[in-house]
PDB file of all heavy atoms in Angstrom:
ATOM      1  N   LEU B 363      60.807  89.845 -57.308  1.00  0.00           N
ATOM      2  CA  LEU B 363      62.103  89.907 -57.974  1.00  0.00           C
ATOM      3  C   LEU B 363      62.484  91.355 -58.232  1.00  0.00           C
ATOM      4  O   LEU B 363      61.787  92.293 -57.862  1.00  0.00           O
ATOM      5  CB  LEU B 363      62.056  89.128 -59.296  1.00  0.00           C
ATOM      6  CG  LEU B 363      61.865  87.614 -59.146  1.00  0.00           C
ATOM      7  CD1 LEU B 363      61.512  87.002 -60.476  1.00  0.00           C
ATOM      8  CD2 LEU B 363      63.120  86.983 -58.560  1.00  0.00           C
ATOM      9  N   GLY B 364      63.600  91.561 -58.926  1.00  0.00           N
ATOM     10  CA  GLY B 364      64.107  92.889 -59.217  1.00  0.00           C
ATOM     11  C   GLY B 364      65.561  92.967 -58.783  1.00  0.00           C
ATOM     12  O   GLY B 364      65.997  92.242 -57.873  1.00  0.00           O
ATOM     13  N   GLY B 365      66.329  93.763 -59.535  1.00  0.00           N
ATOM     14  CA  GLY B 365      67.725  93.966 -59.177  1.00  0.00           C
ATOM     15  C   GLY B 365      68.620  92.770 -59.412  1.00  0.00           C
ATOM     16  O   GLY B 365      69.708  92.664 -58.847  1.00  0.00           O
ATOM     17  N   LEU B 366      68.198  91.894 -60.283  1.00  0.00           N
ATOM     18  CA  LEU B 366      69.004  90.679 -60.470  1.00  0.00           C
ATOM     19  C   LEU B 366      70.218  90.919 -61.371  1.00  0.00           C
ATOM     20  O   LEU B 366      71.038  90.038 -61.540  1.00  0.00           O
ATOM     21  CB  LEU B 366      68.143  89.561 -61.056  1.00  0.00           C
ATOM     22  CG  LEU B 366      67.099  88.934 -60.135  1.00  0.00           C
ATOM     23  CD1 LEU B 366      66.333  87.854 -60.861  1.00  0.00           C
ATOM     24  CD2 LEU B 366      67.755  88.359 -58.896  1.00  0.00           C
ATOM     25  N   ARG B 367      70.305  92.106 -61.998  1.00  0.00           N
ATOM     26  CA  ARG B 367      71.363  92.271 -63.005  1.00  0.00           C
ATOM     27  C   ARG B 367      72.756  92.164 -62.395  1.00  0.00           C
ATOM     28  O   ARG B 367      73.683  91.708 -63.054  1.00  0.00           O
ATOM     29  CB  ARG B 367      71.213  93.612 -63.732  1.00  0.00           C
ATOM     30  CG  ARG B 367      71.530  94.846 -62.912  1.00  0.00           C
ATOM     31  CD  ARG B 367      71.290  96.100 -63.722  1.00  0.00           C
ATOM     32  NE  ARG B 367      71.646  97.282 -62.968  1.00  0.00           N
ATOM     33  CZ  ARG B 367      70.902  97.792 -62.010  1.00  0.00           C
ATOM     34  NH1 ARG B 367      69.764  97.206 -61.671  1.00  0.00           N
ATOM     35  NH2 ARG B 367      71.271  98.888 -61.364  1.00  0.00           N
ATOM     36  N   PHE B 374      71.056  88.120 -67.228  1.00  0.00           N
ATOM     37  CA  PHE B 374      70.531  89.450 -67.529  1.00  0.00           C
ATOM     38  C   PHE B 374      70.795  89.816 -68.984  1.00  0.00           C
ATOM     39  O   PHE B 374      69.907  90.283 -69.696  1.00  0.00           O
ATOM     40  CB  PHE B 374      71.182  90.470 -66.576  1.00  0.00           C
ATOM     41  CG  PHE B 374      70.966  91.901 -66.977  1.00  0.00           C
ATOM     42  CD1 PHE B 374      69.680  92.430 -67.029  1.00  0.00           C
ATOM     43  CD2 PHE B 374      72.042  92.711 -67.326  1.00  0.00           C
ATOM     44  CE1 PHE B 374      69.483  93.751 -67.401  1.00  0.00           C
ATOM     45  CE2 PHE B 374      71.847  94.020 -67.709  1.00  0.00           C
ATOM     46  CZ  PHE B 374      70.568  94.542 -67.745  1.00  0.00           C
ATOM     47  N   PHE B 431      59.498  95.198 -71.888  1.00  0.00           N
ATOM     48  CA  PHE B 431      60.287  96.099 -71.031  1.00  0.00           C
ATOM     49  C   PHE B 431      60.109  95.710 -69.567  1.00  0.00           C
ATOM     50  O   PHE B 431      61.030  95.773 -68.773  1.00  0.00           O
ATOM     51  CB  PHE B 431      59.855  97.557 -71.241  1.00  0.00           C
ATOM     52  CG  PHE B 431      60.391  98.147 -72.520  1.00  0.00           C
ATOM     53  CD1 PHE B 431      60.070  99.458 -72.886  1.00  0.00           C
ATOM     54  CD2 PHE B 431      61.226  97.407 -73.355  1.00  0.00           C
ATOM     55  CE1 PHE B 431      60.569 100.013 -74.049  1.00  0.00           C
ATOM     56  CE2 PHE B 431      61.717  97.960 -74.526  1.00  0.00           C
ATOM     57  CZ  PHE B 431      61.386  99.257 -74.872  1.00  0.00           C
ATOM     58  N   ILE B 434      62.310  93.039 -68.450  1.00  0.00           N
ATOM     59  CA  ILE B 434      63.675  93.487 -68.145  1.00  0.00           C
ATOM     60  C   ILE B 434      63.683  94.317 -66.865  1.00  0.00           C
ATOM     61  O   ILE B 434      64.440  94.050 -65.923  1.00  0.00           O
ATOM     62  CB  ILE B 434      64.240  94.335 -69.309  1.00  0.00           C
ATOM     63  CG1 ILE B 434      64.200  93.521 -70.620  1.00  0.00           C
ATOM     64  CG2 ILE B 434      65.641  94.799 -68.995  1.00  0.00           C
ATOM     65  CD1 ILE B 434      64.489  94.359 -71.846  1.00  0.00           C
ATOM     66  N   ALA B 435      62.778  95.303 -66.828  1.00  0.00           N
ATOM     67  CA  ALA B 435      62.856  96.309 -65.769  1.00  0.00           C
ATOM     68  C   ALA B 435      62.496  95.746 -64.406  1.00  0.00           C
ATOM     69  O   ALA B 435      63.202  95.986 -63.417  1.00  0.00           O
ATOM     70  CB  ALA B 435      61.927  97.480 -66.120  1.00  0.00           C
ATOM     71  N   HIS B 436      61.419  94.975 -64.317  1.00  0.00           N
ATOM     72  CA  HIS B 436      60.956  94.546 -62.994  1.00  0.00           C
ATOM     73  C   HIS B 436      61.663  93.308 -62.469  1.00  0.00           C
ATOM     74  O   HIS B 436      61.502  92.946 -61.320  1.00  0.00           O
ATOM     75  CB  HIS B 436      59.442  94.304 -63.024  1.00  0.00           C
ATOM     76  CG  HIS B 436      58.676  95.572 -63.138  1.00  0.00           C
ATOM     77  ND1 HIS B 436      57.305  95.658 -63.066  1.00  0.00           N
ATOM     78  CD2 HIS B 436      59.096  96.849 -63.324  1.00  0.00           C
ATOM     79  CE1 HIS B 436      56.919  96.895 -63.218  1.00  0.00           C
ATOM     80  NE2 HIS B 436      57.994  97.637 -63.384  1.00  0.00           N
ATOM     81  N   VAL B 437      62.426  92.648 -63.339  1.00  0.00           N
ATOM     82  CA  VAL B 437      63.132  91.443 -62.873  1.00  0.00           C
ATOM     83  C   VAL B 437      64.608  91.743 -62.638  1.00  0.00           C
ATOM     84  O   VAL B 437      65.169  91.395 -61.605  1.00  0.00           O
ATOM     85  CB  VAL B 437      62.985  90.291 -63.889  1.00  0.00           C
ATOM     86  CG1 VAL B 437      63.788  89.069 -63.433  1.00  0.00           C
ATOM     87  CG2 VAL B 437      61.528  89.934 -64.069  1.00  0.00           C
ATOM     88  N   PHE B 438      65.211  92.434 -63.609  1.00  0.00           N
ATOM     89  CA  PHE B 438      66.667  92.573 -63.545  1.00  0.00           C
ATOM     90  C   PHE B 438      67.105  93.959 -63.072  1.00  0.00           C
ATOM     91  O   PHE B 438      68.131  94.092 -62.440  1.00  0.00           O
ATOM     92  CB  PHE B 438      67.272  92.287 -64.914  1.00  0.00           C
ATOM     93  CG  PHE B 438      67.096  90.853 -65.328  1.00  0.00           C
ATOM     94  CD1 PHE B 438      66.090  90.479 -66.198  1.00  0.00           C
ATOM     95  CD2 PHE B 438      67.931  89.868 -64.810  1.00  0.00           C
ATOM     96  CE1 PHE B 438      65.921  89.161 -66.564  1.00  0.00           C
ATOM     97  CE2 PHE B 438      67.768  88.535 -65.179  1.00  0.00           C
ATOM     98  CZ  PHE B 438      66.758  88.182 -66.054  1.00  0.00           C
ATOM     99  N   LEU B 439      66.337  94.997 -63.445  1.00  0.00           N
ATOM    100  CA  LEU B 439      66.741  96.355 -63.053  1.00  0.00           C
ATOM    101  C   LEU B 439      66.214  96.654 -61.655  1.00  0.00           C
ATOM    102  O   LEU B 439      65.662  95.785 -60.984  1.00  0.00           O
ATOM    103  CB  LEU B 439      66.222  97.359 -64.081  1.00  0.00           C
ATOM    104  CG  LEU B 439      66.680  97.110 -65.524  1.00  0.00           C
ATOM    105  CD1 LEU B 439      66.155  98.191 -66.450  1.00  0.00           C
ATOM    106  CD2 LEU B 439      68.197  97.009 -65.616  1.00  0.00           C
ATOM    107  N   GLY B 440      66.374  97.882 -61.237  1.00  0.00           N
ATOM    108  CA  GLY B 440      65.897  98.264 -59.910  1.00  0.00           C
ATOM    109  C   GLY B 440      66.911  97.879 -58.847  1.00  0.00           C
ATOM    110  O   GLY B 440      67.947  97.278 -59.138  1.00  0.00           O
ATOM    111  N   PRO B 441      66.600  98.229 -57.617  1.00  0.00           N
ATOM    112  CA  PRO B 441      67.549  97.980 -56.529  1.00  0.00           C
ATOM    113  C   PRO B 441      67.636  96.500 -56.191  1.00  0.00           C
ATOM    114  O   PRO B 441      66.676  95.757 -56.354  1.00  0.00           O
ATOM    115  CB  PRO B 441      66.966  98.765 -55.357  1.00  0.00           C
ATOM    116  CG  PRO B 441      65.504  98.833 -55.659  1.00  0.00           C
ATOM    117  CD  PRO B 441      65.354  98.867 -57.134  1.00  0.00           C
ATOM    118  N   LYS B 442      68.813  96.100 -55.727  1.00  0.00           N
ATOM    119  CA  LYS B 442      69.019  94.736 -55.262  1.00  0.00           C
ATOM    120  C   LYS B 442      68.205  94.533 -53.993  1.00  0.00           C
ATOM    121  O   LYS B 442      68.131  95.414 -53.154  1.00  0.00           O
ATOM    122  CB  LYS B 442      70.507  94.535 -54.978  1.00  0.00           C
ATOM    123  CG  LYS B 442      70.918  93.102 -54.911  1.00  0.00           C
ATOM    124  CD  LYS B 442      72.413  93.014 -55.163  1.00  0.00           C
ATOM    125  CE  LYS B 442      73.102  92.352 -53.964  1.00  0.00           C
ATOM    126  NZ  LYS B 442      74.566  92.427 -54.112  1.00  0.00           N
TER     127      LYS B 442
END
Side-chain angles (χ1 to χ4, degrees):
Chain B
L363 294 167
L366 289 180
R367 70 182 183 283
F374 167 62
F431 283 179
I434 303 169
H436 289 186
V437 177
F438 294 100
L439 303 182
K442 198 158 121 188

